[in-house]
């Protein structure tokens, strides 16, 4: 239950639900906690809810910390 | 998996470990605690502790909600299932094998015919309530601030859908009061904390401020990959060397300084903070649990089924209380590996794979 995974939003449905994709697997999740997400965004999914959007620039900075 | 695989690059992780070696003061002892069980699991799984210099010591905190759930709360639910055959209990898989104080787990009583379903999300519990209008659906809700908003949303949704057969048994706990409890221990030797990334996604950075200010402890909020964790340890070493005690955010790709304001609003709408809540291994901690607001009491299983709890009693030789505070290691417990193992857990740190003792047992900690 504590495991959260990064996945990409591929479709936005009614009632703040969306389809996300992770390694070829698609699943319907709720975006009620971050209703502003858009198709193409990567999000952290936790127990069926998108919790936060992943910031690509910040991810790159983390990877380049010592370079 | 994008945003995961590239953060597991061994060369980047080793490079950062070398940087820790470079800046570490060999005459100093650095004792850091990772609060979150997910971090404990990752540190052992990826062998990060073996990359650290001898004077950088990781201690394992109480941030595994399954571990710290009092066994009496499982007992109470088992009692209720025995007397009310209308109930379908929905629970996360993590809880199935955890024995209550009476020694029985949900798996045991499911084998005897109790109606218990494993679910991935509160959304599944709602679906169960829609499909079974003649049954009472109880969601055994558990977790820190990461899962509280999803549970809260399920209650808001149930109200909207006018579901009258859905209720939540709230075992949600709060991170900051537990951090305070650990730092209040008079014999603590901690020099810094790794803060839980996904809790912080929700609550933000300022929630830790009282502890960095009062206890002068550096806190680094960390992601869950090997690179995230080793960088967070580097940032803590740097803060100790510079004698600073700031809240630093390593997990900037996911954690905003303010947290998720929408999720915070939803938590506030549905939950109240209990005067105190019991933690297996640590006892009662003030203001550390979430109960359901009176406004939503028809969705509160505790009210709906008048659930009562017995006082939790720990095994007299179980060292979990001191392990969870970073005062002992699992190897210093009399029960560890002798009578206490993942198949027969005696205390909080062994009941879930994310507990310190279970991680030691699985990955050979020493």
């Amino acid at each position: 239950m504590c495991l959260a995974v990064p996945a990409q939003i591929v479709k936005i449905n009614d009632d703040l639900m969306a389809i996300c994709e992770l390694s070829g697997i698609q699943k319907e999740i709720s975006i009620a906690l971050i209703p502003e997400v858009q198709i193409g965004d990567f999000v952290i999914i936790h127990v069926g809810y998108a919790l936060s959007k992943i910031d690509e620039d910040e991810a790159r900075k983390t990877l380049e910390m010592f370079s | 998996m994008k945003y995961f695989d590239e953060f597991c690059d061994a060369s980047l992780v080793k490079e950062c470990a070398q940087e820790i070696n470079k800046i570490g003061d060999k005459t100093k002892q650095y004792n850091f605690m990772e609060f979150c069980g997910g971090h404990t699991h990752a540190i052992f799984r990826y062998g990060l502790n073996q990359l650290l210099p001898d004077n950088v010591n990781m201690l394992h905190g109480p941030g595994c909600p399954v571990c710290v759930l009092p066994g009496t709360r499982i007992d109470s639910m088992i009692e209720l299932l025995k007397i009310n055959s209308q109930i379908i209990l929905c629970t996360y898989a993590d809880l199935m094998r955890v024995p209550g104080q009476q020694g029985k787990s949900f798996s045991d009583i499911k084998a005897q015919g109790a109606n218990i379903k494993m679910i991935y999300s509160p959304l599944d519990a709602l679906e169960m309530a829609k499909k079974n209008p003649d049954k009472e659906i109880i969601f055994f809700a558990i977790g820190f601030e990461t899962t509280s908003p999803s549970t809260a949303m399920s209650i808001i949704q149930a109200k909207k859908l006018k579901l009258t057969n859905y209720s939540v048994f709230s075992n949600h706990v709060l991170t900051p009061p537990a951090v305070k409890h650990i730092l209040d221990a008079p014999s603590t030797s901690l020099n810094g904390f790794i803060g839980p990334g996904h809790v912080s996604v929700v609550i933000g950075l300022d929630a830790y401020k009282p502890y960095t200010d009062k206890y002068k402890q550096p806190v680094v909020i960390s992601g869950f990959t090997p690179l995230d964790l080793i960088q967070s340890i580097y940032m803590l070493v740097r803060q100790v060397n510079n004698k600073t005690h700031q809240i630093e955010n390593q997990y900037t790709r996911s954690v905003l300084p303010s947290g998720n304001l929408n999720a915070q609003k939803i938590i506030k709408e549905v939950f109240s903070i209990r005067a105190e809540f019991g933690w297996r291994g640590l006892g009662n901690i003030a203001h550390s649990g979430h109960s359901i607001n009176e406004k939503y009491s028809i969705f509160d299983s505790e009210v709906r089924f008048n659930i009562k709890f017995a006082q939790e009693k720990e095994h007299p030789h179980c060292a979990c209380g001191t392990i969870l505070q970073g005062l002992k290691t699992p190897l210093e417990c009399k029960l560890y590996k002798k009578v206490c193992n993942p198949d027969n857990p005696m205390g909080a740190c062994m009941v879930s794979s994310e507990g310190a003792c279970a991680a030691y047992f699985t990955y050979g900690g020493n």
Side-chain angles (χ1 to χ4, degrees):
Chain A
M1 157 262 305
C2 285
L3 190 69
V5 289
Q8 189 171 29
I9 302 290
V10 293
K11 188 169 178 252
I12 293 182
N13 293 338
D14 295 339
D15 292 334
L16 295 174
M17 298 298 284
I19 306 288
C20 69
E21 187 173 307
L22 171 68
S23 303
I25 296 165
Q26 293 201 345
K27 185 164 172 59
E28 190 174 41
I29 53 137
S30 167
I31 53 169
L33 300 174
I34 41 167
E36 67 277 13
V37 289
Q38 292 175 358
I39 292 172
D41 286 345
F42 276 85
V43 292
I44 296 284
I45 312 279
H46 188 74
V47 299
Y49 285 79
L51 260 193
S52 70
K53 216 172 112 172
I54 300 176
D55 185 313
E56 193 165 2
D57 288 342
E58 292 296 334
R60 204 189 50 250
K61 282 185 205 160
T62 299
L63 289 168
E64 292 172 353
M65 185 176 184
F66 294 108
S67 58
Chain B
M1 183 163 41
K2 189 168 157 73
Y3 295 116
F4 183 80
D5 295 343
E6 62 272 43
F7 291 85
C8 296
D9 183 327
S11 60
L12 289 179
V13 173
K14 282 180 190 159
E15 185 189 18
C16 186
Q18 280 165 9
E19 294 294 328
I20 293 174
N21 246 315
K22 262 189 225 163
I23 66 163
D25 179 344
K26 304 286 178 280
T27 63
K28 249 187 200 151
Q29 181 65 34
Y30 300 87
N31 291 326
F32 302 136
M33 176 179 276
E34 81 280 359
F35 181 85
C36 174
H39 283 154
T40 303
H41 190 83
I43 285 170
F44 280 94
R45 182 172 178 197
Y46 299 107
L48 297 180
N49 44 349
Q50 293 164 31
L51 292 176
L52 297 174
D54 290 344
N55 60 332
V56 178
N57 186 23
M58 298 308 296
L59 300 159
H60 321 296
C64 159
V66 174
C67 301
V68 298
L69 175 74
T72 49
R73 295 190 71 89
I74 293 176
D75 293 340
S76 303
M77 188 49 65
I78 289 177
E79 282 309 308
L80 180 62
L81 287 164
K82 273 186 199 161
I83 58 170
N84 190 332
S85 61
Q86 284 306 100
I87 294 170
I88 300 177
L89 179 69
C90 292
T91 172
Y92 295 127
D94 321 38
L95 269 175
M96 286 300 286
R97 287 178 53 245
V98 178
Q101 190 96 81
Q102 305 294 326
K104 289 261 190 263
S105 68
F106 291 147
S107 279
D108 294 332
I109 62 155
K110 185 175 166 71
Q112 291 165 3
N115 203 346
I116 301 176
K117 307 283 184 203
M118 274 190 274
I119 56 163
Y120 161 67
S121 166
L123 297 168
D124 302 332
L126 279 180
E127 228 15 69
M128 193 79 71
K130 278 191 236 166
K131 283 184 184 152
N132 297 279
D134 54 335
K135 294 280 189 188
E136 281 284 346
I137 310 303
I138 297 181
F139 171 45
F140 198 105
I142 184 169
F144 284 88
E145 294 90 336
T146 330
T147 42
S148 305
S150 322
T151 301
M153 268 313 299
S154 81
I155 290 176
I156 290 173
Q157 192 67 9
K159 191 179 177 192
K160 198 173 144 198
L161 294 168
K162 298 191 171 64
L163 289 175
T164 55
N165 63 333
Y166 176 74
S167 67
V168 169
F169 183 47
S170 173
N171 298 282
H172 284 296
V173 276
L174 294 137
T175 303
V179 172
K180 178 178 184 300
H181 183 85
I182 290 161
L183 292 174
D184 275 338
S187 47
T188 186
S189 62
L190 289 175
N191 308 109
F193 264 93
I194 291 190
H198 293 141
V199 164
S200 308
V201 159
V202 174
I203 68 176
L205 304 185
D206 279 352
Y208 302 94
K209 208 164 181 307
Y211 313 110
T212 49
D213 286 354
K214 183 178 169 195
Y215 299 91
K216 307 213 178 318
Q217 291 272 349
V219 174
V220 176
I221 308 302
S222 179
F224 293 82
T225 66
L227 183 63
D228 289 325
L229 280 159
I230 202 94
Q231 278 187 7
S232 299
I233 295 167
Y234 171 86
M235 290 160 87
L236 280 176
V237 169
R238 191 170 62 185
Q239 282 215 43
V240 171
N241 289 353
N242 295 340
K243 296 190 173 63
T244 54
H245 44 88
Q246 292 161 350
I247 309 157
E248 276 187 287
N249 185 6
Q250 183 279 332
Y251 199 26
T252 49
R253 65 186 181 279
S254 297
V255 176
L256 296 173
S258 59
N260 181 331
L261 296 172
N262 187 35
Q264 290 167 22
K265 205 173 103 196
I266 289 161
I267 289 178
K268 242 187 176 158
E269 165 69 19
V270 174
F271 290 118
S272 309
I273 294 178
R274 298 180 197 260
E276 61 177 17
F277 194 71
W279 292 53
R280 192 171 184 172
L282 292 176
N284 288 338
I285 302 179
H287 312 301
S288 69
H290 270 146
S291 63
I292 294 164
N293 260 336
E294 263 180 49
K295 192 172 153 188
Y296 293 95
S297 62
I298 56 162
F299 300 103
D300 185 349
S301 309
E302 279 180 53
V303 175
R304 200 173 170 114
F305 299 100
N306 193 23
I307 301 174
K308 299 271 182 272
F309 311 98
Q311 189 63 34
E312 182 85 355
K313 282 194 208 99
E314 306 289 350
H315 189 290
H317 293 304
C318 175
C320 283
T322 44
I323 292 169
L324 293 173
Q325 291 178 82
L327 305 174
K328 272 190 182 174
T329 72
L331 303 177
E332 294 170 88
C333 175
K334 285 181 184 171
L335 306 180
Y336 175 73
K337 268 195 175 173
K338 294 187 181 77
V339 289
C340 182
N341 57 56
D343 288 332
N344 182 39
M346 310 295 284
C349 312
M350 192 65 95
V351 298
S352 156
S353 63
E354 296 196 344
C357 294
Y360 264 62
F361 192 95
T362 309
Y363 298 106
N366 50 43

